[in-house]
Amino acid sequence: MNQDLKLFYQMVKNTRAGVLDWLESLPQSTFLQEHPDFAFGSLRNIYLHIADTYLGWVAEAGLGHAGRVLQADSARDLRQIFNWVDDAVHQALETFTAPDEPRTRTLLGPLNHTQRWLILHPITHEFHHKGQALALARILGHPHPGSPDTDLVPPV
């Protein structure tokens, strides 16, 4: 897979690290607190969903790995789960050889995709749900401090 995508994923990892640091700084009760108006309900569940999406598309659909049941009692547990995500993405970036070759996977119906899509879809999905997590934290009284930036951080 091309070097640009590897660099891009490194920037995603660097950005995520700042968010995980912030999640670890929150009270445990805030991290776990359910809010009925948010998809997945809690900061923990949003981030488990993000990780599950990466593993489902990259590890399972792309690499043929068996699925995992993800559980996290703390933000620290999320780091281990995202290490699994990073390992799967790294393996995919090293082994996918036809990034733009059309493929079809059957889920609820046929889904046309490429190996590149298997990488990019979970990334855009992560940023979508990160916005929801930041909004939820504000509602729970623990807004992100603004630093480090939660947008894609520069590669340097």
Side-chain angles (χ1 to χ4, degrees):
M1 189 76 62
N2 72 31
Q3 293 302 312
D4 286 345
L5 201 49
K6 291 177 183 179
L7 175 61
F8 182 54
Y9 188 71
Q10 185 59 51
M11 289 187 281
V12 170
K13 284 175 40 177
N14 293 345
T15 302
R16 184 188 308 130
V19 173
L20 292 174
D21 288 345
W22 168 68
L23 287 173
E24 284 185 10
S25 76
L26 297 175
Q28 180 75 357
S29 59
T30 301
F31 177 68
L32 299 173
Q33 186 174 344
E34 297 279 337
H35 193 290
D37 294 330
F38 277 80
F40 308 101
S42 70
L43 296 168
R44 173 197 52 196
N45 293 349
I46 290 170
Y47 269 83
L48 283 174
H49 171 69
I50 291 167
D52 191 51
T53 299
Y54 271 103
L55 294 172
W57 286 113
V58 178
E60 295 172 37
L63 297 169
H65 294 175
R68 292 180 183 229
V69 175
L70 303 180
Q71 296 180 328
D73 295 322
S74 67
R76 183 175 301 270
D77 293 342
L78 287 177
R79 284 193 191 275
Q80 177 56 51
I81 291 168
F82 277 98
N83 284 338
W84 299 337
V85 167
D86 295 341
D87 290 346
V89 172
H90 175 76
Q91 183 180 359
L93 290 171
E94 293 299 320
T95 61
F96 284 0
T97 58
D100 299 311
E101 180 180 302
R103 298 166 184 270
T104 300
R105 179 167 174 83
T106 302
L107 295 172
L108 299 174
L111 173 67
N112 297 319
H113 66 283
T114 63
Q115 290 175 330
R116 186 181 312 277
W117 183 90
L118 291 174
I119 302 290
L120 290 175
H121 170 68
I123 290 171
T124 61
H125 179 263
E126 176 177 2
F127 278 74
H128 163 74
H129 283 298
K130 177 175 43 181
Q132 291 177 331
L134 294 173
L136 175 56
R138 271 194 311 277
I139 288 170
L140 297 177
H142 293 274
H144 185 273
S147 179
D149 195 347
T150 60
D151 287 337
L152 191 63
V153 297
V156 186

